[in-house]
């Protein structure tokens, strides 16, 4: 998914260790490429469904707690390789003849898994869908301007599955005809797709397979430790929201009140190990600015800037400052990067056209190395173009799905009229192209930003009579199309570099998306049934639910009834986000690498500082590890991080089952100030 730089759901980052990126050299003369149907196997689809379920659970947990989702591509590649290799090895020992495990099959598994768990993000389970529910409505307040009881649709398993099926496939058909243009003609890099391909290529060499085996052992070790630790923590978490290691005042009770504490979460420490250092430091800086200075300062003016007797979750009080300033930073960052990527895209398109018109004729005699490179490229081009996806199939698929979706979505969300949906599908391919091209250049997917644009436009056009639901649903339609289109192009790039058929990539993306349309709602419903989702004082705050609903209300009502000076602060932080992003782009790399990322800084403004402490612990561990043994850190940091995240994610399943059965933890570990003697 996307996906995702770990700064936010909007950004993706190639997280591959450098040592793997140059691991495998292809000998095109000897490469035996299986037919596209042979690249898709039953065992591969079974492993994809298993890993897709696990990664959907992990994505939901991260989405519903802090909203930061790191890339799990390394874990998907490693675990896919491990499961199939283990299965084929086991059958071989029993004397069965087994089909060799090829890098093409490995690529299909990777594509399926990413397509599946990508819907746990773009499906809106932590953002636009859950923003429609009754709890978010009540949290904002029944008397809040623009927040109407009619604009409530609670999560339902069947309508969520139906909604995903009618919106998730259009993005796949929208850009299929342009795959040659994007991958071969423009030669877009798609950094995450390229890194994934190099990882898979390295697995299928002798030295790479040995390293992969060691990485899998490392991942399994830390997965087991993380699972056991999460189980141990559960016994002390008692009943309520104040018990256990998740509320351990490691830095003292005074800082604990301002959410500065280490909560012993393997998931967040793992995120810190995966995320770049600048992301983790940006999150911590945002926590220090907000919870260390800004919120205590605003709190001192209670009774003047806002009524002092308001509840902790009243938007007319401190809670309003937290939400709206976070929104201002997110919008400032998103707007800047949208304009930047559109400008970069236009510039590159113009320069690319110029290059094509002025290409010189090369007649030089090539040396052996250059000849080898040309042979590799020729083989890749040949495989990529061999299995064509007919233009008529892509166009008819898009038109047919758009017609079904236009007729169906108004039945699920009545305020979103059919003509709004139809208009969205007319402009969606252009936006999908912009997002896919920008992702190919920068590795930044702005799917969430395009979704927010749709949200504001539709909410403001529909108005107070259903505008909130219409805007949130339109956000989902737009996000799904531009997100899946960018993911598909990443997969085409991966397939191109691993000599996988474009047709097998497209089919595996279709299959993975179909899996995600079922698995993502099912796993979300596990959380919804077992935990108190949306409780601002609980572990599953669903932070983006309130933010997305407030954005829809802003589109309708404007800035009605904000607390005193809140709007001025919002303007200030919006402009600051623009300036910081500009500084990151215009300063030399040796300076810009230390300038924080506004989107990452925005997250703790609303959620709290505790996860920033955890992620910073992860980044400190990685920093020290890199200084002690750089190669070891490059080879195994991703495996350690993935193990920590996956182990904690797996524990969510038994934890949810215990919660559904109303089996509570036996011990409540609680801290309070010592009584005066």
């Amino acid at each position: 998914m996307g996906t995702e730089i770990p700064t936010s759901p909007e950004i993706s980052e190639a997280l591959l260790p450098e040592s793997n990126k140059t691991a495998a050299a292809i000998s095109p003369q000897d490469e035996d490429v299986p037919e596209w149907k042979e690249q898709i196997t039953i065992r591969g689809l079974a492993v994809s469904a298993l890993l897709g379920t696990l990664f959907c659970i992990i994505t939901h947990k991260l989405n519903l707690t802090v909203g930061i989702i790191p890339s799990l591509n390394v874990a998907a590649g490693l675990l896919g390789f491990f499961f199939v290799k283990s299965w084929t090895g086991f059958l071989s020992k029993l004397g069965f003849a087994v089909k060799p495990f090829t890098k093409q099959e490995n690529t299909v598994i990777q594509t399926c898994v990413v397509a599946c768990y990508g819907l746990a993000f773009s499906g809106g389970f932590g953002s636009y869908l859950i923003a429609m529910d009754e709890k978010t409505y009540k949290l904002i307040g029944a008397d809040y301007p623009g927040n109407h009881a009619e604009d409530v649709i609670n999560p339902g398993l069947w309508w969520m599955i139906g909604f995903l099926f009618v919106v998730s496939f259009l993005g796949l058909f929208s850009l299929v005809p342009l795959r040659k243009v994007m991958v071969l003609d423009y030669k877009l890099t798609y950094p995450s797709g390229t890194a994934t391909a190099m990882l898979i290529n390295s697995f299928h060499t002798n030295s790479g397979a040995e390293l992969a085996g060691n990485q899998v052992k490392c991942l399994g070790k830390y997965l087991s430790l993380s699972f056991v630790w999460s189980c141990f923590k559960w016994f002390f978490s008692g009943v309520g929201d104040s018990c256990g290691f998740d509320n351990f005042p490691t830095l003292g009770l005074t800082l604990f009140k301002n959410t500065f504490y280490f909560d012993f979460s393997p998931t967040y420490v793992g995120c810190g190990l995966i995320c770049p250092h600048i992301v983790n430091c940006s999150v911590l800086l945002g926590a220090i600015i907000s919870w260390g200075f800004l919120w205590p300062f605003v709190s001192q003016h209670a009774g003047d800037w806002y009524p002092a007797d308001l509840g902790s979750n009243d938007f007319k009080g401190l809670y309003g400052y937290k939400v709206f300033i976070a929104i201002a930073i997110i919008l400032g960052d998103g707007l800047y990067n949208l304009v930047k990527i559109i400008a970069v895209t236009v510039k590159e398109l113009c320069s690319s056209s110029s290059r094509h018109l002025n290409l010189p004729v090369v007649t030089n005699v090539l040396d052996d190395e250059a000849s080898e490179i040309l042979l590799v490229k020729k083989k890749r081009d040949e495989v990529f173009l061999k299995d064509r996806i007919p233009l008529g199939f892509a166009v008819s698929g898009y038109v047919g799905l758009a017609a079904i979706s236009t007729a169906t979505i108004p039945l699920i969300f009545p305020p979103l009229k059919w003509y709004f949906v139809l208009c969205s599908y007319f402009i969606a391919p252009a936006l999908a192209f912009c997002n896919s091209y920008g992702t190919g250049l920068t590795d930044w997917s702005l799917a969430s930003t395009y979704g927010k644009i749709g949200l504001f436009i539709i909410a403001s056009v529909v108005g107070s009579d259903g505008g909130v639901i219409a805007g949130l649903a339109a956000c989902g339609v737009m996000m799904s199309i531009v997100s899946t289109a960018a993911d598909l192009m990443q997969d085409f790039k991966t397939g191109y570099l691993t000599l996988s058929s474009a047709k097998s990539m497209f089919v595996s993306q279709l299959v993975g998306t179909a899996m995600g349309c079922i698995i993502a709602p099912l796993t979300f419903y596990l959380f919804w049934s077992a935990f108190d989702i949306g409780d601002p004082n609980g572990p599953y705050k669903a932070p983006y639910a309130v933010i997305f609903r407030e954005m829809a209300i802003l589109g309708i009502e404007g800035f009605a009834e904000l607390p005193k000076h809140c709007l001025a602060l919002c303007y200030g932080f919006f402009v600051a986000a623009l300036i910081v992003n500009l500084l990151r782009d215009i300063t030399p790399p040796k300076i810009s690498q230390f300038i924080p990322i506004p989107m990452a800084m925005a997250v703790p403004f609303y959620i709290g500082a505790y996860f920033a402490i955890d992620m910073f612990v992860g980044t400190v561990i990685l920093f020290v590890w890199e200084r002690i043994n750089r190669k070891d850190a490059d080879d195994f940091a991703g495996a350690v991080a993935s193990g920590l995240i996956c182990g904690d994610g797996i524990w969510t399943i038994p934890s949810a089952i215990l919660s559904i059965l109303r089996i509570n933890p036996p011990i409540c570990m609680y801290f309070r100030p010592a009584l005066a003697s």
Side-chain angles (χ1 to χ4, degrees):
M1 121 194 120
T3 114
E4 287 96 53
I5 183 186
T7 61
S8 77
E10 290 187 75
I11 308 171
S12 64
E13 182 87 11
L15 300 171
L16 181 71
E18 285 291 329
S19 59
N20 286 340
K21 291 184 181 180
T22 57
I26 299 173
S27 299
Q29 306 94 321
D30 306 321
E31 191 83 24
D32 184 21
V33 180
E35 291 296 318
W36 76 269
K37 291 182 180 178
E38 296 175 7
Q39 297 173 20
I40 304 171
T41 62
I42 298 298
R43 69 188 180 192
L45 295 179
V47 168
S48 300
L50 178 65
L51 293 180
T53 301
L54 171 61
F55 290 152
C56 275
I57 290 171
I58 293 169
T59 302
H60 286 317
K61 180 170 184 177
L62 290 169
N63 238 341
L64 296 171
T65 50
V66 297
I68 291 180
I69 306 169
S71 171
L72 299 172
N73 287 4
V74 171
L78 277 173
L79 289 174
F81 178 82
F82 168 71
F83 279 128
V84 178
K85 274 289 189 182
S86 300
W87 177 246
T88 55
F90 175 71
L91 290 181
S92 295
K93 288 180 180 178
L94 294 179
F96 291 99
V98 292
K99 184 180 177 182
F101 181 44
T102 64
K103 62 185 179 183
Q104 288 81 12
E105 185 180 355
N106 206 159
T107 305
V108 165
I109 293 172
Q110 177 91 7
T111 300
C112 255
V113 173
V114 172
C116 180
Y117 86 80
L119 286 182
F121 161 62
S122 64
F125 299 102
S127 54
Y128 60 84
L129 282 190
I130 200 171
M132 303 177 184
D133 81 330
E134 186 175 6
K135 182 168 289 184
T136 307
Y137 158 74
K138 289 181 177 178
L139 185 60
I140 291 176
D143 59 342
Y144 191 82
N147 191 37
H148 305 302
E150 298 79 25
D151 292 324
V152 171
I153 299 178
N154 285 313
L157 185 60
W158 295 112
W159 75 254
M160 289 190 299
I161 291 175
F163 174 69
L164 289 185
F165 266 109
V166 297
V167 301
S168 299
F169 292 92
L170 281 115
L172 303 181
F173 286 88
S174 62
L175 293 186
V176 166
L178 297 179
R179 68 192 181 284
K180 177 180 177 293
V181 174
M182 305 286 263
V183 176
L184 298 185
D185 296 345
Y186 290 142
K187 296 180 177 60
L188 297 174
T189 55
Y190 288 103
S192 288
T194 299
T196 301
M198 295 302 101
L199 177 72
I200 291 172
N201 282 335
S202 73
F203 286 167
H204 296 270
T205 63
N206 291 332
S207 60
E210 183 180 351
L211 176 61
N214 292 331
Q215 288 173 327
V216 167
K217 289 177 184 176
C218 180
L219 189 152
K221 174 184 173 182
Y222 283 92
L223 185 151
S224 302
L225 288 172
S226 176
F227 181 84
V228 171
W229 172 248
S230 298
C231 176
F232 176 77
K233 284 204 309 176
W234 178 82
F235 281 93
F236 296 88
S237 58
V239 179
D241 301 322
S242 302
C243 303
F245 285 92
D246 291 344
N247 295 279
F248 196 109
T250 42
L251 303 177
L253 287 168
T254 302
L255 286 174
F256 178 80
K257 291 178 182 176
N258 282 340
T259 72
F260 284 96
Y261 58 94
F262 178 66
D263 76 345
F264 299 91
S265 167
T267 295
Y268 303 149
V269 174
C271 288
L273 281 166
I274 288 182
C275 297
H277 295 305
I278 187 61
V279 172
N280 299 315
C281 293
S282 298
V283 171
L284 182 63
L285 179 61
I288 292 171
I289 291 172
S290 55
W291 293 90
F293 296 99
L294 185 59
W295 304 150
F297 172 76
V298 173
S299 298
Q300 290 175 0
H301 293 82
D304 178 16
W305 289 11
Y306 61 90
D309 57 348
L310 296 176
S312 60
N313 300 316
D314 195 313
F315 272 84
K316 297 174 184 175
L318 181 62
Y319 193 64
Y321 291 92
K322 295 177 184 177
V323 171
F324 284 104
I325 291 176
I327 289 174
I329 298 172
I330 291 169
L331 291 179
D333 186 275
L335 178 64
Y336 178 90
N337 284 297
L338 178 65
V339 172
K340 170 188 167 182
I341 287 184
I342 289 174
V344 170
T345 299
V346 171
K347 180 182 176 183
E348 285 297 317
L349 284 172
C350 293
S351 61
S352 178
S353 300
S354 175
R355 284 197 299 270
H356 281 302
L357 290 173
N358 299 292
L359 284 177
V361 178
V362 179
T363 57
N364 297 343
V365 177
L366 301 174
D367 58 23
D368 290 343
E369 185 179 351
S371 298
E372 178 73 12
I373 292 171
L374 278 180
L375 284 171
V376 171
K377 184 181 184 306
K378 182 180 178 182
K379 180 75 172 183
R380 287 172 174 166
D381 291 354
E382 177 187 312
V383 172
F384 188 70
L385 297 174
K386 178 184 174 184
D387 298 311
R388 296 185 179 276
I389 302 168
L391 176 63
F393 173 75
V395 172
S396 60
Y398 186 83
V399 171
L401 288 170
I404 294 170
S405 185
T406 301
T408 306
I409 288 178
L411 300 178
I412 303 173
F413 306 112
L416 187 61
K417 304 302 182 185
W418 66 269
Y419 41 86
F420 290 127
V421 180
L422 188 61
C423 289
S424 298
Y425 289 144
F426 272 117
I427 64 172
L431 298 180
F433 173 80
C434 291
N435 191 48
S436 297
Y437 195 97
T439 303
L441 292 171
T442 66
D443 215 27
W444 283 35
S445 174
L446 297 180
S448 186
T449 301
Y450 286 107
K452 288 166 192 163
I453 292 172
L455 186 157
F456 277 117
I457 293 173
I458 298 299
S460 61
V461 170
V462 174
S464 59
D465 187 15
V468 170
I469 293 295
L472 292 170
C475 174
V477 170
M478 201 60 68
M479 269 185 70
S480 296
I481 294 174
V482 298
S483 177
T484 52
D487 288 346
L488 179 64
M489 284 302 158
Q490 289 269 23
D491 292 334
F492 277 141
K493 183 69 174 184
T494 303
Y496 172 75
L497 294 172
T498 58
L499 294 179
S500 303
S501 165
K503 191 173 287 187
S504 71
M505 289 291 91
F506 183 67
V507 172
S508 59
Q509 184 86 18
L510 286 174
V511 173
T513 301
M515 287 180 181
C517 288
I518 298 171
I519 293 173
L522 282 173
T523 48
F524 170 77
Y525 220 71
L526 176 70
F527 282 86
W528 182 259
S529 303
F531 306 114
D532 189 10
I533 304 298
D535 178 6
N537 300 313
Y540 294 98
K541 296 177 174 64
Y544 282 98
V546 168
I547 287 174
F548 270 70
R549 190 174 183 92
E550 275 292 352
M551 286 181 181
I553 294 172
L554 278 176
I556 300 167
E557 297 289 330
F559 299 98
E561 294 199 24
L562 289 183
K564 192 175 181 181
H565 301 304
C566 183
L567 186 58
L569 287 169
C570 288
Y571 283 142
F573 278 96
F574 179 86
V575 172
L578 297 176
I579 293 172
V580 171
N581 271 305
L582 182 63
L583 288 174
R584 284 179 55 82
D585 285 335
I586 64 175
T587 53
K590 63 181 180 181
I591 297 174
S592 64
Q593 64 178 329
F594 298 110
I595 298 177
I597 301 170
M599 183 69 75
M601 293 175 65
V603 179
F605 269 69
Y606 170 60
I607 299 170
Y610 59 93
F611 78 96
I613 303 292
D614 292 8
M615 291 179 68
F616 189 71
V617 168
T619 212
V620 169
I621 292 170
L622 180 61
F623 182 82
V624 173
W625 192 358
E626 287 172 337
R627 294 299 174 274
I628 296 172
N629 190 330
R630 180 74 190 215
K631 185 178 185 307
D632 247 21
D634 287 343
D635 287 346
F636 295 103
V640 171
S642 299
L644 292 174
I645 294 170
C646 291
D648 198 22
I650 292 172
W651 168 250
T652 302
I653 300 172
S655 173
I657 293 171
L658 290 169
S659 179
I660 291 170
L661 296 176
R662 300 292 183 263
I663 299 175
N664 296 317
I667 304 168
C668 175
M669 184 172 68
Y670 178 73
F671 295 86
R672 64 183 182 184
L675 297 175
S677 57

